[in-house]
């Protein structure tokens, strides 16, 4: 066992939480057991991250690898414009496993923004999950109704 002290400033997490918890009109409520089961199935195939596409009353999970692709769908309660975001599937599973009851996802303004996760009706434990960029698809972490940013 070894430990190493690194230098640097800790991110201003209070500002990130305040921004992520803002009212962006993209709130998802889901049963964590259903989502964890789907994540486990898709993560088996995924070499990188998991793409979550949320619209209407469902969330579509996709994972890709050289050998193929896994796709699963979970029923949710969602209000807001469609959004697509990439996550490390293992991190998301671990975070969901410690929350009881339905879970609330508050998405930021776009697919690049941090996502605030908490148990429904209980904000004593807040989780802040940073999305990851998935290189296999140009729209992997961009909100569906947001224009793609043009390269300079």
């Amino acid at each position: 066992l070894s430990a190493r002290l690194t230098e640097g400033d800790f991110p201003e997490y209070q500002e990130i939480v305040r921004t992520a918890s803002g009212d962006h009109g993209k709130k998802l409520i889901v049963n964590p057991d259903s989502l964890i089961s789907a994540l486990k199935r898709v993560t088996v195939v995924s070499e990188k991250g998991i793409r979550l596409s949320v619209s209407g009353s469902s969330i579509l999970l996709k994972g890709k690898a050289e050998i193929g692709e896994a796709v699963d769908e979970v029923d949710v309660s969602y209000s807001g414009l469609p959004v697509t975001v990439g996550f490390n599937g293992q991190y998301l599973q671990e975070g969901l496993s410690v929350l009881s009851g339905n879970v609330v996802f508050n998405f930021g303004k776009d697919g690049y923004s941090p996502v605030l996760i908490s148990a429904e009706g209980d904000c004593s434990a807040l989780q802040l999950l940073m999305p990851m960029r998935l290189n296999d698809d140009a729209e992997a972490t961009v909100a569906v109704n947001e224009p793609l940013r043009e390269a300079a």
Side-chain angles (χ1 to χ4, degrees):
L1 178 68
S2 66
R4 184 175 66 168
L5 180 63
T6 58
E7 291 190 35
D9 294 328
F10 194 76
E12 295 292 332
Y13 71 91
Q14 294 97 340
E15 183 60 33
I16 296 171
V17 169
R18 188 173 18 264
T19 302
S21 63
D23 185 16
H24 300 287
K26 297 176 184 172
K27 181 177 179 181
L28 175 137
I29 300 173
V30 63
N31 177 308
D33 296 331
S34 301
L35 186 53
I36 289 171
S37 295
L39 281 166
K40 286 179 180 177
R41 290 188 292 270
V42 174
T43 303
V44 168
V45 175
S46 178
E47 289 179 343
K48 305 217 187 243
I50 303 295
R51 181 179 312 115
L52 283 73
S53 299
V54 186
S55 64
S57 62
S58 69
I59 183 168
L60 187 67
L61 295 86
K62 287 186 182 180
K64 287 187 178 181
E66 287 184 27
I67 59 170
E69 178 179 272
V71 178
D72 207 335
E73 190 170 6
V74 177
D75 292 333
V76 299
S77 173
Y78 179 67
S79 60
L81 297 173
V83 65
T84 300
V85 63
F87 286 122
N88 178 312
Q90 188 63 40
Y91 291 169
L92 186 53
Q93 285 179 56
E94 290 173 5
L96 291 172
S97 68
V98 299
L99 297 173
S100 59
N102 284 340
V103 175
V104 177
F105 286 68
N106 285 305
F107 292 96
K109 61 181 177 169
D110 58 29
Y112 299 104
S113 302
V115 176
L116 194 62
I117 304 170
S118 64
E120 186 176 29
D122 179 14
C123 291
S124 63
L126 295 176
Q127 299 177 11
L128 190 67
L129 191 59
M130 298 299 293
M132 62 185 291
R133 295 178 189 265
L134 301 174
N135 294 330
D136 61 329
D137 192 336
E139 64 177 326
T141 58
V142 179
V144 174
N145 288 337
E146 299 279 336
L148 289 173
R149 296 181 184 133
E150 293 185 23

